[in-house]
Amino acid sequence: MILCENIYKSFGTQVVLKSFSYQFEDNGFYLLFGESGSGKTSFLNILSGFLHFESGKINIDGKVFSGKVDRSIIEKDFDYITQDTFFVEFLTVSDNLRMIVDDDKRIQETLDMFGLRDKAAQYPTTLSGGEKQRLAIARSILGDKKILFLDE
C-alpha cells in the first residue's frame, strides 16, 4: 500500500502538488490524468525517489518518508518506465533481458506474453516505440517488480 498524506511540491512559485492525499491499495490499476504541466510526472518522480517534496508524508508498505522517498529501500519492488526506455543498444532483446534473469525459458515466455518472441534476436534500435515500451514492461516483470509506474 502507498499512502500519501498532504504532499506539497513546488518549483519556485509554480505549485504542482498542494495537500495531495490518496491511498493506493496493494492491488489495482491507477490512472493519473490531467493537462500537461499538472504534476503527473512530478508525482511519479516523487514516489520513485527522484524528487524531493516540501511537506507531507509518504508511507510505502509501512516505511514512512518525509522530504524524499529513499530509492535504496523501494527499488527492489518498484520500477519506473518513462517514455524513454533504456536498453543496452549493442545487446539483443534477449541479451538485455538476460541481464535481469538467466532463465531462457522464462525470457521466451515473457516475450510471448508481450508479442515480442520474433524480436528476441534483434537489437533495441530496430524496435518501434511501442515494442520498446512492451519490452520495458517485460523487463520489469522478469525483475519481479510489485509496482510499475508507467509515464505515458
Side-chain angles (χ1 to χ4, degrees), residues 132-147:
K132 287 179 185 178
Q133 290 291 327
R134 294 195 321 260
L135 181 59
I137 295 169
R139 178 177 56 193
S140 294
I141 288 173
L142 284 171
D144 294 324
K145 302 299 182 179
K146 287 181 10 182
I147 296 177

Side-chain angles (χ1 to χ4, degrees), residues 34-99:
E35 294 181 20
S36 182
S38 64
K40 301 176 300 291
T41 296
S42 295
F43 179 62
L44 291 177
N45 282 321
I46 287 169
L47 287 180
S48 299
F50 292 122
L51 272 181
H52 287 85
F53 53 100
E54 283 85 356
S55 63
K57 293 181 183 175
I58 298 175
N59 182 328
I60 301 175
D61 291 333
K63 299 167 195 82
V64 179
F65 303 98
S66 296
K68 187 171 187 218
V69 172
D70 185 343
R71 285 194 52 74
S72 67
I73 293 174
I74 66 163
E75 67 187 354
K76 178 182 156 276
D77 293 325
F78 289 66
D79 204 359
Y80 183 15
I81 300 172
T82 64
Q83 288 181 5
D84 299 318
T85 55
F86 298 99
F87 299 102
V88 179
E89 300 295 331
F90 60 85
L91 294 178
T92 66
V93 164
S94 287
D95 288 338
N96 267 276
L97 296 179
R98 210 170 276 114
M99 291 173 51

Side-chain angles (χ1 to χ4, degrees), residues 109-151:
E109 289 170 352
T110 304
L111 287 172
D112 279 342
M113 185 185 324
F114 288 94
L116 295 170
R117 179 184 275 268
D118 63 327
K119 308 292 183 184
Q122 292 184 4
Y123 293 90
T125 54
T126 67
L127 301 179
S128 71
E131 289 168 337
K132 287 179 185 178
Q133 290 291 327
R134 294 195 321 260
L135 181 59
I137 295 169
R139 178 177 56 193
S140 294
I141 288 173
L142 284 171
D144 294 324
K145 302 299 182 179
K146 287 181 10 182
I147 296 177
L148 302 181
F149 297 125
L150 308 173
D151 192 2

